[in-house]
Amino acid sequence: MEKVLTARIGKKDSRSIDTYLADGGYTGVKRVLTSGMTPEQVIEEVKKANVRGRGGAGFSAGVKWGFLPKDTKGKPIYLFCNADESEPGTFKDRLLMENDPHQLIEGMILASYAIRCRNAYIYIRGEFYDGARILERAIGEAYAKGYLGEKILGSRFSLDITVHRGAGAYICGEETGLIESIEGKRGQPRIKPPFPAVSGAFAAPTIVNNVETLCCVKHVIDRGAEWFLKIGRNEKNAGPKLFCISGHVNRPGVYEAAMGLPLKDLIFGAEYAQGMKGGKKIKAVIPGGASAPMLTAAEIDDCPLDFDGVAAKGSMLGSAAIVVINEDACIVDVAKNLSKFFSHESCGQCTPCREGTPWLYKVLTRIEAGQGRMEDIDLLARICNQMANGMTICVFADAAIAPPLSSVTKFRAEYEHHVTQKRCLVGARAAELVTV
Amino acid sequence: MSHTRYRVMEAGEARRFPPEAMARIEKILTRYPTKQAALLPVLWVAQETWGWISKEAGEEVARVLDLPPSHVDGVLTFYTMYNLRPVGKHLLQVCTSISCHLNGAESLLERCGKRLGIGLEETTADGKFTLVEVECIAGCDRAPSMMVNDQYFEPMDAGKLDALLDRLSREA
Amino acid sequence: MSSTPVAPPPSAPPPAPPPKDTFTVSFDGKAIEVPKNLNLIDAAKLAGVDIPHFCYHPRLSVVGQCRMCLVEIEGMPKIQAACTVPLKDGLSVKTTTDKVKNARAATMEFLLINHPLDCPICDQAGECTLQDNSFGYGNQLSRFDEAKRQYPTFDRTMIGPHVVADMTRCIQCTRCIRFTHEIAGTSELTFLDRGGRTLVWTHEGQPLANDWSGCAADVCPVGALTTREFRFRSRVWYLQKTPSVCPGCNVGCNISIESRDDVVYRFLPRLNPTVNDYWLCDYGRFLSEPLNDRDVHKATVREGSAVREATVPAAVDRIAREIRSSLEGKGPGAVFFLGSAHLSNEENFLLRKIADHVGSPNRDAIVDKSRPRKVKSKTVWVEGDDAGANHQGAKDMGLSPGAGGHGLDAVIAGKASPEVILIADAAFSAIADDPEKVAALRRARFLAVAARNANALTRAADVVLPAASLAEKEGTFTNVQGRVQKFDRAFLPKPPIRAAWEHLLLLALALGFGDRSWTPHDLLRQIAAEVPDYAGIKEEELEGGRLLKKGDFAWAGRP
Ligand SMILES: Cc1cc2nc3c(=O)[nH]c(=O)nc-3n(C[C@H](O)[C@H](O)[C@H](O)COP(=O)(O)O)c2cc1C
Ligand code: SF4
Ligand code: SF4
Ligand code: FES
Ligand code: FES
């Protein structure tokens, strides 16, 4: 597939507005603002393209925009670009922002025009100091050239974009946690309904979209929904997509391909990750970031990497973060590591999540250390089942149970070995496998 | 995993934002519909001004934004990047999340600690280094990944780590 | 306007039914009509269905955090937190399915794994929602082999002048935090840290010190916040609860006097949406302590320079004798009667009847002004600044100088010189402990007072009667809103102590009127018959207090 989202990445000065303009950048904005294309028409086009959210949930951006009230009763509408990118295994938005900031800015201008937003924000995770500086500079350039600010390109449309830095909290990637955070609060997700499109930041209608989603919007406006829909396995799973692959592969990185790229191709393909490091066998693959249930080696056959394809395997595409784990790694240790993450990142307001995430981590730590009992294995599954499916305010808890529950279910023998033999089936913890 | 963040509000010296910081804050305030919304950015200004956020610095932030100091405490302790204690000149942040873990993050962390003679959340006696463990910093394809202050260093290995620590130690 | 009825044309559609102001909601198959603005948890209560909960509080914002109130809603595949489900017509709620039972048991298990279970030494035991819900909705606990979470430096710590925190017991429901944000408006409390390390605390140097800080302990469903004053004093199940009214000021917060073996242990707010709602100010709350103080146990009579103990009837007889002799010598104007803002309507009424009986226009009731006190009703703040609960009632009962009569000011200023002064409450004002003012009163030939505690006035008096405390009597007060509120007796005073109304009834009988069998109930009936604004008031209606139909009360607004 021709590169779309990453087409300019690697080019000289890809961050500067001059090269962006030279590559045909901002023509979409020019066309929309000068041709009299209405906001509704932009929404319609994005709806038609069925741009499913790239942040994790896969919800159609156009449909979400359509939820905005027609009459906002004098309230502004906000657009927040979700650049919190904190799902372990995910590093695609960082690449987009650091290398082609104007692509995102153009996507945000178009989205803001469509939803009639006057003030847009980029919520970027605190660790992306470079990303934030690069965006600030690019935004400055866009103001200077008249693509941002008052009456853009002489039209009646005005827009300000502000870069808002997070400060270390994964939960602020959840859209209502993000909204709370922008309001200057602890990033504790809100009860829904009301949904942000109806009442979000500052009690005003708010749209939250992922970086990659907004970049896709730019290309949909440039090239049309028809074009977008033709890329990918089917119209429900369409468009160019970035896949992050890491773990025990030869060439980890971000790869752009059509939605629906077979998982096996991504792992073994010559233009992708080029197979397993040291030729080891695959034990497990996490297909969608830490929140996605693990797949066994057998399950990765004929698994198209798109929303419905991975869902059919009982997991999820999530943020398209593929973590490949080889046969030498201890699955209990992997689950423990992932549980440590969730235990550290739970916001703590819901009882099952606040209490359940550290509990899972403690039990896994005990089993991994050879101090587990047989009942602990069922206990893990029971704790997990008590945390999910409506037990909490946000789906963080549903995500947190994915690693222990999927690994206990799919790799039970390894857990049992830990318990009965008081040591690891594979002989070593992942931590001890690789030394730097 | 970072240690508990509630032993907070270490007392420091009395704090007032210097004029340059106030000027930045004024500018920040123009970007938001409420003063409270500027809390995270203003806390960043405080951290950049003083290196860490003491009880008094938190009170100063509360003052300029008209917020209850308790609210500022609640926010400060929720987010892990605000330093609640003084940190060394070089804040070493080693990722131990899954992809880095699979690629030797623990041994990297251990090596760091051994070389500097400090444990997690500790600062060397000369005040040069503080070592912390962090969750995934979106450098998983270049695992193991780490940051020193605002710069990424990835992928790391023993040689690169030693060279880095040597270079930083030599710096004034 | 024409009065001819107009027949509807035959084809007219039937008139639309008036829009409903209720929703039909069913709980476990039983449909009921509920007001539209209710929370589902309260709607369930109307249907007699108990939905267990921790974080939900009817007067605080809904946060849906504790996840205890889980129910199934028809048409929704996932379990729902009842407190967060908007009420709507046709909602069908299930609270007894296995799914619901298991979900609630799950939340209980999560709450208990890190809870210290130190009930034997916890003040909350017996009124702990965690205990109750654990009995009602928990399962047998699974093994929890991990180390329990502890907050070592955040236990048994005063976080304000009255409130003690034991964070190890906290279930992170945020009720206390929301109380300080949303009701007190002082925001002293916050969550610190996050996840399993979350705890509630204050900013150092800004303790939980607002005027209602005790309410933070009230809203805490567990023993994480308790009051210093009550700590370790009594197991709550030994406490008897008596509905009463706070004696602190003229807001007249409804309270429960909690006592045992004739000792008052604490006041708790008693729900009255129109007055104090769920709240109580600290000043009033901790008046429970001084309520047990007493140094007047017996009646005393001065004879010459000696003060001797006497029986109450003998002491009252002495007062009656002195009154009669003054009346005979100097006429009715020689007797002065002083009521009190601390006495009930019934007591002040009886005092006024005595004054009427002897024909004296010299009667009064004054009140000291206090720092303004306020408390939030369901809708508005109610404010008062009287240092007594019933000045309004005392005035209503007629305790102000009659035609040609004198008030207390005139007596103290020496513009009037009554021979006999009867003061029905020795604690009526700070005046009673002011030597100069007391000396002015002492100019009377004879000075009689009823008292619980000694002060300059009792030391100067010729007769002192031992008077019951608020806990030891019943009656009504009229608050700043003009609301007549009833208080009950928690326990009997130790003989020979009696309520002021009993002293006054003895005096009335000695002066030749009244009926030995009168009780405060009879006196209230007389008030209803005789006092214009109180016309028709019935004791049975006084649950929650009855607002008098008066337009002249100055207060923040009417609910
Ligand atoms: C725990 C949690 C963390 C999330 N983190 C992110 C994130 O870092 N970046 C992101 O774009 N979306 C994240 N999401 C998804 C957002 O809630 C939201 O669905 C998304 O930003 C919407 O944008 P999209 O429709 O363009 O994908 C997260 C969701 C959850 C539940
Ligand atoms: S599920 Fe976890 S992360 Fe989400 S709101 Fe509840 S406690 Fe916070
Ligand atoms: S202290 Fe009590 S009221 Fe406050 S959060 Fe904890 S349990 Fe809830
Ligand atoms: S796992 Fe270490 S950077 Fe992502
Ligand atoms: S009462 Fe509903 S979640 Fe707490």
Side-chain angles (χ1 to χ4, degrees):
Chain A
M1 190 200 80
E2 157 218 10
K3 300 275 181 283
V4 179
L5 299 164
T6 56
R8 302 185 64 253
I9 295 180
K11 285 191 173 178
K12 190 162 174 293
D13 290 337
S14 65
R15 297 165 185 169
S16 86
I17 197 164
D18 297 328
T19 63
Y20 187 71
L21 288 168
D23 288 337
Y26 289 119
T27 47
V29 169
K30 279 183 214 143
R31 189 161 46 78
V32 166
L33 290 187
T34 55
S35 71
M37 193 170 173
T38 64
E40 288 69 28
Q41 286 168 325
V42 178
I43 296 185
E44 212 34 59
E45 196 66 20
V46 173
K47 225 184 237 175
K48 213 164 98 194
N50 191 20
V51 181
R52 295 179 65 175
R54 267 54 174 168
F59 194 81
S60 159
V63 172
K64 178 149 71 181
W65 299 357
F67 290 154
L68 287 167
K70 293 285 159 285
D71 174 9
T72 66
K73 307 216 165 66
K75 292 202 167 132
I77 292 174
Y78 293 106
L79 172 70
F80 292 160
C81 167
N82 191 340
D84 195 49
E85 188 159 71
S86 309
E87 178 83 18
T90 317
F91 38 88
K92 61 188 179 63
D93 298 340
R94 176 180 166 198
L95 181 89
L96 291 172
M97 292 184 290
E98 287 182 0
N99 294 284
D100 198 358
H102 285 287
Q103 176 178 233
L104 173 59
I105 294 166
E106 182 168 9
M108 287 183 70
I109 296 171
L110 292 166
S112 298
Y113 177 77
I115 66 172
R116 299 172 196 273
C117 158
R118 174 67 182 76
N119 282 289
Y121 297 82
I122 303 175
Y123 188 99
I124 186 168
R125 64 177 295 180
E127 292 85 349
F128 288 171
Y129 295 88
D130 277 341
R133 282 189 283 254
I134 290 162
L135 282 167
E136 297 269 19
R137 195 174 315 126
I139 288 169
E141 290 175 331
Y143 272 106
K145 292 255 195 267
Y147 293 105
L148 284 176
E150 294 288 331
K151 306 215 174 347
I152 297 173
L153 303 179
S155 73
R156 280 159 54 199
F157 174 64
S158 305
L159 175 68
D160 287 309
I161 296 182
T162 302
V163 176
H164 183 97
R165 292 178 57 214
Y170 164 69
I171 196 60
C172 293
E174 198 276 350
E175 58 184 358
T176 59
L178 184 150
I179 287 169
E180 287 280 297
S181 184
I182 287 219
E183 286 186 3
K185 304 186 195 149
R186 299 162 57 84
Q188 295 175 181
R190 293 180 180 175
I191 309 167
K192 286 145 274 193
F195 288 94
V198 176
S199 177
F202 313 106
T206 302
I207 292 293
V208 182
N209 273 129
N210 170 258
V211 171
E212 187 186 346
T213 310
L214 291 165
C215 290
C216 284
V217 166
K218 173 212 136 75
H219 296 285
V220 167
I221 298 307
D222 274 357
R223 309 217 211 167
E226 295 294 333
W227 161 84
F228 192 85
L229 284 168
K230 286 210 189 78
I231 302 170
R233 195 161 61 102
N234 55 40
E235 301 212 331
K236 285 204 180 112
N237 298 277
K241 181 78 194 88
L242 302 187
F243 299 100
C244 315
I245 182 164
S246 63
H248 295 138
V249 292
N250 282 319
R251 214 173 56 142
V254 179
Y255 297 100
E256 179 171 6
M259 193 67 102
L261 173 73
L263 174 51
K264 265 202 140 147
D265 289 5
L266 179 68
I267 300 173
F268 294 102
E271 72 263 57
Y272 304 113
Q274 297 180 353
M276 300 295 287
K277 233 188 243 168
K280 299 271 184 192
K281 285 209 193 91
I282 294 177
K283 173 178 278 180
V285 175
I286 301 172
S291 307
M294 297 177 196
L295 302 177
T296 61
E299 287 170 314
I300 69 167
D301 287 336
D302 81 73
C303 176
L305 286 173
D306 56 34
F307 297 107
D308 299 334
V310 186
K313 295 279 177 185
S315 187
M316 63 176 192
L317 182 66
S319 56
I322 291 94
V323 182
V324 185
I325 299 159
N326 73 18
E327 57 190 330
D328 292 344
C330 165
I331 214 74
V332 181
D333 176 69
V334 167
K336 176 185 129 189
N337 176 278
L338 293 162
S339 292
K340 180 194 71 156
F341 170 80
F342 287 108
S343 168
H344 185 242
E345 299 297 337
S346 163
C347 86
Q349 58 175 335
C350 311
T351 303
C353 179
R354 176 183 68 246
E355 305 296 334
T357 49
W359 194 5
L360 287 171
Y361 176 55
K362 285 176 179 170
V363 174
L364 284 162
T365 303
R366 209 153 39 72
I367 297 176
E368 199 265 346
Q371 290 154 10
R373 293 186 313 267
M374 228 36 169
E375 310 91 88
D376 285 336
I377 302 174
D378 292 328
L379 175 64
L380 281 177
R382 194 166 66 78
I383 300 172
C384 288
N385 289 323
Q386 293 189 166
M387 289 169 64
N389 285 316
M391 287 297 286
T392 54
I393 290 175
C394 87
V395 294
F396 176 99
D398 300 66
I401 69 167
L405 192 58
S406 63
S407 62
V408 160
T409 315
K410 295 179 180 177
F411 300 93
R412 194 177 173 100
E414 257 191 71
Y415 278 88
E416 289 176 352
H417 189 92
H418 260 280
V419 169
T420 55
Q421 306 304 309
K422 311 247 173 270
R423 58 186 205 84
C424 187
L425 179 65
V426 292
R429 302 200 249 165
E432 292 154 3
L433 279 178
V434 188
T435 42
V436 294
Chain B
M1 177 157 16
S2 96
H3 292 181
T4 48
R5 292 177 61 79
Y6 51 70
R7 215 173 290 272
V8 288
M9 306 308 104
E10 298 257 328
E13 305 149 40
R15 300 285 195 205
R16 273 292 148 113
F17 279 119
E20 322 81 79
M22 274 316 291
R24 280 178 68 193
I25 291 168
E26 292 303 330
K27 219 165 134 202
I28 288 167
L29 283 170
T30 64
R31 308 298 294 192
Y32 297 94
T34 67
K35 272 187 160 182
Q36 178 173 301
L39 180 51
L40 266 66
V42 171
L43 285 170
W44 278 118
V45 173
Q47 179 144 313
E48 282 154 26
T49 305
W50 296 303
W52 66 294
I53 302 180
S54 63
K55 169 177 169 325
E56 291 78 6
E59 287 165 356
E60 171 69 351
V61 171
R63 187 186 65 83
V64 302
L65 295 181
D66 284 333
L67 293 170
S70 64
H71 179 87
V72 175
D73 290 357
V75 168
L76 261 177
T77 57
F78 187 87
Y79 299 92
T80 54
M81 292 183 73
Y82 297 124
N83 302 325
L84 304 177
R85 263 154 292 214
V87 294
K89 183 161 174 244
H90 307 291
L91 180 63
L92 308 177
Q93 306 147 73
V94 179
C95 170
T96 54
S97 287
I98 189 65
S99 302
C100 294
H101 179 71
L102 295 173
N103 284 291
E106 265 77 6
S107 75
L108 183 71
L109 190 65
E110 206 183 297
R111 193 176 182 92
C112 261
K114 276 215 181 105
R115 283 223 25 175
L116 299 170
I118 52 174
L120 283 178
E121 314 264 318
E122 288 178 4
T123 301
T124 51
D126 60 3
K128 274 206 167 152
F129 297 96
T130 300
L131 180 61
V132 299
E133 190 182 7
V134 295
E135 296 294 352
C136 179
I137 47 180
C140 333
D141 54 339
R142 282 171 276 182
S145 178
M146 69 179 283
M147 296 179 79
V148 180
N149 298 341
D150 58 356
Q151 291 299 314
Y152 278 88
F153 291 87
E154 51 184 19
M156 272 318 232
D157 59 31
K160 283 190 192 164
L161 178 73
D162 290 350
L164 175 67
L165 294 183
D166 287 344
R167 177 167 69 75
L168 296 177
S169 302
R170 275 196 308 273
E171 271 177 24
Chain C
M1 239 183 22
S2 157
S3 62
T4 321
V6 179
S11 62
K20 278 202 316 172
D21 48 10
T22 58
F23 286 138
T24 311
V25 177
S26 86
F27 293 94
D28 302 315
K30 196 179 119 206
I32 73 157
E33 294 289 312
V34 294
K36 284 183 172 173
N37 57 355
L38 279 194
N39 185 279
L40 190 56
I41 291 186
D42 293 326
K45 205 179 278 169
L46 284 187
V49 172
D50 180 38
I51 298 183
H53 58 275
F54 295 104
C55 67
Y56 172 70
H57 186 289
R59 294 298 181 270
L60 303 175
S61 59
V62 173
V63 289
Q65 292 171 335
C66 74
R67 316 309 287 181
M68 187 65 211
C69 64
L70 300 165
V71 295
E72 278 194 84
I73 306 276
E74 209 169 272
M76 295 183 166
K78 288 184 180 177
I79 198 108
Q80 300 288 323
C83 67
T84 67
V85 176
L87 217 55
K88 61 173 194 216
D89 217 21
L91 208 65
S92 168
V93 185
K94 297 201 191 74
T95 72
T96 56
T97 61
D98 282 348
K99 192 165 161 183
V100 169
K101 284 183 190 153
N102 291 337
R104 290 174 178 175
T107 294
M108 274 317 303
E109 179 172 22
F110 284 126
L111 284 172
L112 290 174
I113 53 170
N114 275 307
H115 195 78
L117 302 174
D118 60 345
C119 314
I121 56 154
C122 177
D123 280 325
Q124 195 82 5
E127 55 187 7
C128 173
T129 318
L130 194 65
Q131 253 182 352
D132 297 347
N133 285 347
S134 164
F135 288 130
Y137 306 97
N139 271 347
Q140 219 188 329
L141 276 191
S142 64
R143 277 176 75 162
F144 183 72
D145 286 343
E146 330 310 323
K148 288 201 185 223
R149 169 176 62 229
Q150 289 193 313
Y151 295 107
T153 51
F154 298 91
D155 274 346
R156 296 186 298 280
T157 304
M158 300 285 305
I159 54 167
H162 302 293
V163 179
V164 187
D166 283 278
M167 274 308 121
T168 309
R169 294 180 188 147
C170 173
I171 59 165
Q172 283 81 18
C173 72
T174 69
R175 274 182 169 195
C176 57
I177 299 177
R178 282 175 283 144
F179 171 76
T180 68
H181 285 307
E182 298 165 15
I183 304 293
T186 46
S187 302
E188 295 99 337
L189 295 177
T190 179
F191 260 170
L192 297 181
D193 209 317
R194 68 184 191 205
R197 303 165 306 282
T198 307
L199 94 159
V200 174
W201 211 246
T202 57
H203 178 74
E204 201 190 310
Q206 204 198 69
L208 177 61
N210 60 59
D211 285 347
W212 312 270
S213 70
C215 296
D218 289 341
V219 296
C220 180
V222 297
L225 301 180
T226 50
T227 58
R228 173 178 60 93
E229 285 78 355
F230 184 65
R231 216 168 144 80
F232 304 135
R233 294 222 22 224
S234 174
R235 309 294 344 196
V236 299
W237 51 85
Y238 296 127
L239 294 178
Q240 174 196 325
K241 290 174 178 288
T242 308
S244 186
V245 174
C246 174
C249 81
N250 51 339
V251 170
C253 291
N254 294 204
I255 59 170
S256 162
I257 295 184
E258 314 249 314
S259 64
R260 172 184 149 202
D261 296 340
D262 300 357
V263 175
V264 175
Y265 282 87
R266 61 176 179 182
F267 288 171
L268 287 184
R270 182 164 54 91
L271 175 64
N272 184 341
T274 60
V275 183
N276 56 304
D277 210 19
Y278 289 85
W279 324 118
L280 187 61
C281 85
D282 288 349
Y283 170 75
R285 178 186 303 264
F286 299 115
L287 288 177
S288 60
E289 300 266 290
L291 206 57
N292 294 315
D293 296 348
R294 157 175 310 279
D295 34 46
V296 176
H297 298 275
K298 297 246 163 64
T300 53
V301 176
R302 186 185 303 276
E303 274 165 19
S305 60
V307 172
R308 287 198 300 103
E309 280 183 11
T311 65
V312 168
V316 171
D317 269 349
R318 171 76 190 280
I319 301 171
R321 265 202 326 275
E322 297 292 347
I323 292 177
R324 260 191 250 106
S325 89
S326 272
L327 290 175
E328 282 157 17
K330 300 258 170 99
V335 191
F336 178 77
F337 295 94
L338 185 65
S340 166
H342 300 297
L343 294 181
S344 68
N345 288 325
E346 294 70 14
E347 291 167 330
N348 283 322
F349 173 76
L350 193 48
L351 182 69
R352 196 261 294 166
K353 295 291 279 187
I354 292 172
D356 285 355
H357 180 76
V358 303
S360 167
N362 301 326
R363 43 184 88 170
D364 206 354
I366 64 148
V367 71
D368 290 345
K369 286 294 166 186
S370 70
R371 170 162 98 77
R373 312 210 180 271
K374 56 178 189 171
V375 78
K376 190 158 187 292
S377 76
K378 184 176 176 183
T379 49
V380 293
W381 285 93
V382 183
E383 300 187 26
D385 65 351
D386 282 357
N390 199 35
H391 190 231
Q392 183 64 49
K395 285 190 291 180
D396 292 346
M397 294 309 119
L399 287 177
S400 26
H406 302 293
L408 182 66
D409 281 354
V411 175
I412 289 178
K415 289 184 196 140
S417 312
E419 280 209 343
V420 172
I421 296 179
L422 174 59
I423 297 179
D425 166 31
F428 73 95
S429 152
I431 288 173
D433 230 358
D434 177 334
E436 244 170 73
K437 306 265 165 66
V438 170
L441 294 168
R442 189 53 280 192
R443 285 197 297 264
R445 178 175 58 75
F446 180 79
L447 177 62
V449 300
R452 182 155 65 87
N453 287 301
N455 58 13
L457 184 59
T458 61
R459 286 187 291 273
D462 297 302
V463 168
V464 178
L465 297 170
S469 76
L470 176 76
E472 293 161 337
K473 65 183 182 185
E474 60 192 309
T476 61
F477 287 151
T478 304
N479 82 346
V480 65
Q481 298 160 305
R483 187 175 299 278
V484 184
Q485 310 194 92
K486 191 169 144 27
F487 57 89
D488 282 354
R489 186 178 62 205
F491 45 82
L492 285 165
K494 264 196 207 59
I497 299 160
R498 300 187 194 201
W501 68 266
E502 289 177 284
H503 295 315
L504 293 168
L505 183 55
L506 283 177
L507 180 62
L509 292 166
L511 291 172
F513 86 101
D515 184 323
R516 194 169 295 285
S517 69
W518 280 355
T519 64
H521 309 273
D522 303 300
L523 292 168
L524 182 62
R525 270 195 292 276
Q526 293 179 35
I527 292 171
E530 295 177 27
V531 180
D533 284 326
Y534 290 65
I537 242 179
K538 289 201 191 74
E539 195 173 339
E540 308 85 79
E541 300 170 349
L542 293 185
E543 173 82 26
R546 197 183 106 167
L547 197 62
L548 299 173
K549 298 228 169 9
K550 281 187 163 185
D552 59 347
F553 292 103
W555 66 290
R558 216 152 257 181

